[in-house]
């Protein structure tokens, strides 16, 4: 075994280790707060919801199709636009997820046998601007800034 200090002396041009590692949340960041969790069961093949992984890695509900007598959508429980998805088909997604994990999560939700259970909660903290833009697009509401820039978020 070679001590770290000795190994570092043997490697030329090795950058110094930082005295303090950067934090995941910036100094001006608002903490992420959600309300009480609710369980929603979806019995139909179609979920009848549009999900979004925001630039912050949080999965949110952008749109919920109404359940009507003629609709093929069958749900038990309440799910609303703006809700945060905390768990899908038994997979915990309470922490921010990466783009790769998002792709896996979407595939899991699509392939999971029905009924599928989602755990959702109302977001109580301030919603990031990029996510607000995606929510407006989902509802076809013009942005107050009315810019045509694309959002870094991924919707499915």
């Amino acid at each position: 075994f070679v001590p770290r200090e000795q190994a570092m002396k043997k490697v030329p041009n090795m950058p110094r280790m930082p005295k303090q590692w950067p934090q995941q949340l910036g100094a001006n960041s608002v903490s992420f707060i959600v309300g009480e969790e609710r369980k929603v069961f979806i019995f139909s093949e179609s979920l009848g919801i549009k999900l979004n992984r925001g630039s912050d890695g949080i999965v949110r509900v952008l749109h919920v199709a109404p359940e009507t007598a003629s609709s093929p959508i069958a749900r038990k429980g309440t799910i609303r636009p703006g809700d945060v998805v905390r768990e899908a088909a038994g997979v915990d997604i309470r922490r921010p997820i990466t783009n790769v994990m998002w792709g896996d999560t979407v595939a899991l939700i699509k392939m999971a046998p029905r009924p599928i259970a989602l755990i959702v909660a109302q977001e109580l903290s301030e919603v990031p601007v990029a996510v607000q833009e995606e929510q407006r697009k989902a509802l076809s509401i013009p942005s107050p800034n009315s810019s045509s820039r694309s959002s870094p978020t991924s919707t499915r």
Side-chain angles (χ1 to χ4, degrees):
F1 176 75
V2 178
R4 179 168 104 32
E5 292 79 19
Q6 187 179 357
M8 288 178 65
K9 287 179 187 174
K10 290 183 179 183
V11 179
N13 302 324
M14 174 66 101
R16 295 188 59 99
M17 296 293 285
K19 292 188 189 286
Q20 189 176 26
W21 292 97
Q23 297 298 311
Q24 201 166 9
L25 295 175
N28 298 336
S29 295
V30 177
S31 59
F32 180 69
I33 304 167
V34 295
E36 187 176 336
E37 293 183 349
R38 306 181 308 274
K39 200 169 215 177
V40 178
F41 292 96
I42 301 175
F43 300 94
S44 54
E45 277 304 308
S46 173
L47 299 177
I49 58 176
K50 185 173 182 180
L51 300 176
N52 167 278
R53 179 198 158 268
S55 55
D56 57 358
I58 303 298
V59 178
R60 294 175 178 85
V61 178
L62 286 184
H63 176 74
V64 179
E67 251 184 291
T68 63
S70 61
S71 167
I73 301 163
R75 289 188 288 260
K76 179 182 177 187
T78 304
I79 188 165
R80 300 179 196 100
D83 279 349
V84 175
V85 180
R86 311 290 281 154
E87 190 175 300
V91 177
D92 187 344
I93 51 176
R94 287 174 176 83
R95 292 187 177 169
I97 62 173
T98 64
N99 244 351
V100 172
M101 290 169 62
W102 173 234
D104 293 345
T105 302
V106 169
L108 168 80
I109 292 170
K110 287 181 177 180
M111 294 184 324
R114 302 303 190 253
I116 182 172
L118 298 179
I119 296 180
V120 298
Q122 179 185 359
E123 184 167 7
L124 302 176
S125 52
E126 187 176 335
V127 179
V129 175
V131 175
Q132 290 176 15
E133 288 294 320
E134 286 297 322
Q135 289 171 334
R136 280 189 198 94
K137 285 180 195 174
L139 297 172
S140 300
I141 299 172
S143 166
N145 300 337
S146 290
S147 67
S148 60
R149 69 178 192 273
S150 65
S151 173
T153 56
S154 165
T155 48
R156 304 248 173 174

